[in-house]
Amino acid sequence: MKKSYNIYVILILLTMCLFSSCGNKNKDDERYDINTQNVGEFVDVAYAKEKLEPAIWGSQGYSIYYQKQSPYIYAAFGEYMLRYNISENEIDRAIQYKDGFIDSSFNVTEDGRVAVLINLWNETQQYEPQNIYLLNFNKSEAVYLADSKDNFEMEMIPEDIRNDFNIESIFNGSNHDNNLEIVNYNIEYDAKDNRYIAYVRYNNLLSHEITVLKGLLFSDELVGIDSKTIFTLIPTNKEENGLLGYYKFVLIDVEQDKIIQECPINIK
């Protein structure tokens, strides 16, 4: 009889739990559950490089993000983003974002310390900002802030970095700037001959072809680093054309038509 009574008490307690806070998650619980899905997180650079190896040129290539005068350049393809440290000539951070970067907003501070990452579109391609993250590159930490724009508040961002972001702009797209106005040359693509030509800025006089880019498939985004230097991504060699996992970060001296710095993602 005592054994039956104990079972009866346990059943009552379980029932009470189901209809109390044990069975109804609060907002913090839901946030924790979403966070454990690892929708956005820093990963080992070698791991990200390995995952990018099978990437090929399709309807899109890498998306490049740059802030004027920043010491870093960011390149994203599919679920992965690599951060390139210009002065150190190395890929020093990698992020995996399972929502995918192509439909996302990535706003990063000039010093590369932190960024806000948001998926802007839902599965039916309707504008619906969701899965909002604060990325701390110094600590390699991704902090989940909110599941939607309605549940997001600027107070969620630490006060010491809050002024680095604009509440409206972070939901309108990435703060990328190709900074090409700093370069002394206008650079145009001649589709007929598949070549890039540099013109002296202001008088538009033909200067010379950038032969180091001729015949190569690469990101259509060029970034101005200084008055004569541009950045882009190109294949490690012509045999790797279209194999995005075997591209390299390059700095090109436009005046000398010469690659002055390069950092491959992968090498065969």
Side-chain angles (χ1 to χ4, degrees), residues 97 99 118-122 128-132 146-148:
Y97 187 49
D99 280 351
I118 306 168
N119 184 11
L120 295 179
W121 306 90
N122 62 24
E128 185 182 343
Q130 55 189 307
N131 290 336
I132 304 168
D147 60 349
S148 67

Side-chain angles (χ1 to χ4, degrees), residues 196-253:
Y196 277 79
I197 304 173
Y199 293 85
V200 177
R201 192 178 290 278
Y202 307 121
N203 58 17
N204 209 38
L205 293 175
L206 174 62
S207 177
H208 57 270
E209 178 183 351
I210 308 177
T211 61
V212 294
L213 298 180
K214 188 171 183 177
L216 297 175
L217 291 175
F218 64 100
S219 170
D220 59 359
E221 293 188 78
L222 303 175
V223 170
I225 302 299
D226 58 39
S227 63
K228 65 175 185 176
T229 309
I230 61 173
F231 163 88
T232 192
L233 276 164
I234 64 173
T236 52
N237 57 64
K238 290 188 178 182
E239 286 68 36
E240 311 302 344
N241 257 4
L243 302 178
L244 297 179
Y246 296 91
Y247 270 40
K248 58 185 176 181
F249 295 77
V250 294
L251 296 184
I252 298 171
D253 185 315

Side-chain angles (χ1 to χ4, degrees), residues 30-161:
E30 291 172 357
R31 179 181 299 179
Y32 177 80
D33 285 347
I34 295 172
N35 195 32
T36 58
Q37 294 176 16
N38 293 326
V39 178
E41 61 177 340
F42 282 87
V43 295
D44 185 74
V45 171
Y47 172 82
K49 288 182 176 182
E50 180 183 353
K51 291 298 182 180
L52 285 169
E53 283 185 352
I56 60 174
W57 184 275
S59 60
Q60 67 204 31
Y62 281 94
S63 297
I64 296 175
Y65 306 92
Y66 181 68
Q67 273 271 56
K68 286 183 179 181
Q69 310 304 315
S70 175
Y72 305 102
I73 296 174
Y74 310 81
F77 178 82
E79 295 181 4
Y80 297 93
M81 172 180 283
L82 304 175
R83 187 178 80 167
Y84 174 58
N85 185 319
I86 299 173
S87 63
E88 298 296 327
N89 192 30
E90 67 174 2
I91 300 169
D92 65 358
R93 296 288 188 278
I95 299 168
Q96 182 179 14
Y97 187 49
K98 293 184 180 179
D99 280 351
F101 286 93
I102 190 63
D103 293 324
S104 299
S105 167
F106 176 75
N107 281 260
V108 63
T109 57
E110 182 179 303
D111 60 8
R113 184 166 50 126
V114 290
V116 174
L117 177 63
I118 306 168
N119 184 11
L120 295 179
W121 306 90
N122 62 24
E123 294 178 355
T124 60
Q125 291 304 301
Q126 300 294 316
Y127 177 76
E128 185 182 343
Q130 55 189 307
N131 290 336
I132 304 168
Y133 283 84
L134 180 68
L135 306 176
N136 187 320
F137 283 89
N138 289 354
K139 296 181 179 180
S140 293
E141 291 179 352
V143 179
Y144 190 85
L145 299 180
D147 60 349
S148 67
K149 182 178 180 179
D150 292 339
N151 292 330
F152 172 78
E153 299 175 357
M154 282 299 287
E155 287 70 25
M156 294 176 175
I157 298 177
E159 187 175 1
D160 62 325
I161 59 175

Side-chain angles (χ1 to χ4, degrees), residues 16-33:
M16 291 174 63
C17 184
L18 287 173
F19 289 96
S20 67
S21 60
C22 293
N24 294 284
K25 298 179 180 179
N26 59 33
K27 188 174 181 180
D28 290 335
D29 291 333
E30 291 172 357
R31 179 181 299 179
Y32 177 80
D33 285 347

Side-chain angles (χ1 to χ4, degrees), residues 6-22:
N6 289 338
I7 294 174
Y8 179 71
V9 171
I10 292 172
L11 288 173
I12 291 176
L13 291 173
L14 286 173
T15 303
M16 291 174 63
C17 184
L18 287 173
F19 289 96
S20 67
S21 60
C22 293

